[in-house]
Amino acid sequence: AGDGDCGHTHARAARAIREWVGARPPPAAPAQLLSALADLLLEKMGGSSGVLYGLFLTAAAQPLRDGSDLPAWADAMDAGIEAMRRYGGAAPGDRTMLDSLCAAAQVLHALRGPGTDLLPVLAAAVESAEAAAEATRHMEAGAGRASYISSARLLQPDPGAVAVAAVLRAVLEGLR
């Protein structure tokens, strides 16, 4: 989807993460892991996506400093989204990666309930993110690169929203 820049940027990030994990074991503590990933993406990913992911991961690390139970992960998702909204200037419905992230976050709120089973909730969150990414196909772009392009030419789903859904799908598959 898009002009290819988003795909190249995400591929560069994936290669950097693969090299990083191959060179040394990643930090075991979730907050440290997210902070290290933020630094890596800010350095290696490039583009506005790299900055936004860096902001997201840095903010998401904060709720995980005192523990990493399931409610803390839901809080981490919300903190990351809030940072992206505050610094990036986009909101859900603007045809950006936030559409997928916010859809997933709504489902992940179930993690705050007692006795929640992670994998079914995460699977539902991924499906919600994928549906939200597809729904961007019919949205008017209110932010991001697509906002500079005529709506008549935006025939594909937002590349950032598609990429977020793919990242979440990879996390789910990795946990399975």
Side-chain angles (χ1 to χ4, degrees):
D3 63 5
D5 180 58
C6 185
H8 290 295
T9 302
H10 282 80
R12 188 169 42 249
R15 284 190 299 275
I17 291 169
R18 185 176 52 220
E19 289 171 12
W20 177 65
V21 169
R24 69 188 72 69
Q32 292 173 337
L33 174 64
L34 295 186
S35 292
L37 280 171
D39 291 343
L40 180 72
L41 294 181
L42 284 167
E43 179 185 343
K44 302 285 185 178
M45 186 174 192
S48 57
S49 293
V51 172
L52 289 170
Y53 279 113
L55 288 168
F56 177 89
L57 292 166
T58 299
Q62 297 306 312
L64 298 170
R65 292 205 185 278
D66 296 325
S68 59
D69 60 2
L70 294 183
W73 282 100
D75 293 343
M77 184 75 155
D78 288 345
I81 288 170
E82 181 53 34
M84 287 178 80
R85 289 177 75 166
R86 188 171 352 118
Y87 295 109
D94 280 343
R95 196 180 198 277
T96 69
M97 63 174 54
L98 275 175
D99 292 298
S100 291
L101 280 171
C102 290
Q106 287 298 324
V107 176
L108 291 176
H109 287 174
L111 294 177
R112 294 187 178 104
T116 304
D117 189 6
L118 174 64
L119 288 180
V121 171
L122 186 54
V126 169
E127 289 173 13
S128 184
E130 290 170 342
E134 180 57 33
T136 63
R137 176 187 305 268
H138 308 292
M139 289 180 181
E140 183 87 18
R145 185 179 288 176
S147 65
Y148 304 117
I149 301 170
S150 165
S151 295
R153 297 190 54 189
L154 296 174
L155 305 175
Q156 299 296 319
D158 179 72
V162 170
V164 163
V167 168
L168 292 173
R169 171 70 61 191
V171 169
L172 173 63
E173 295 304 320
L175 289 173
R176 283 184 172 157

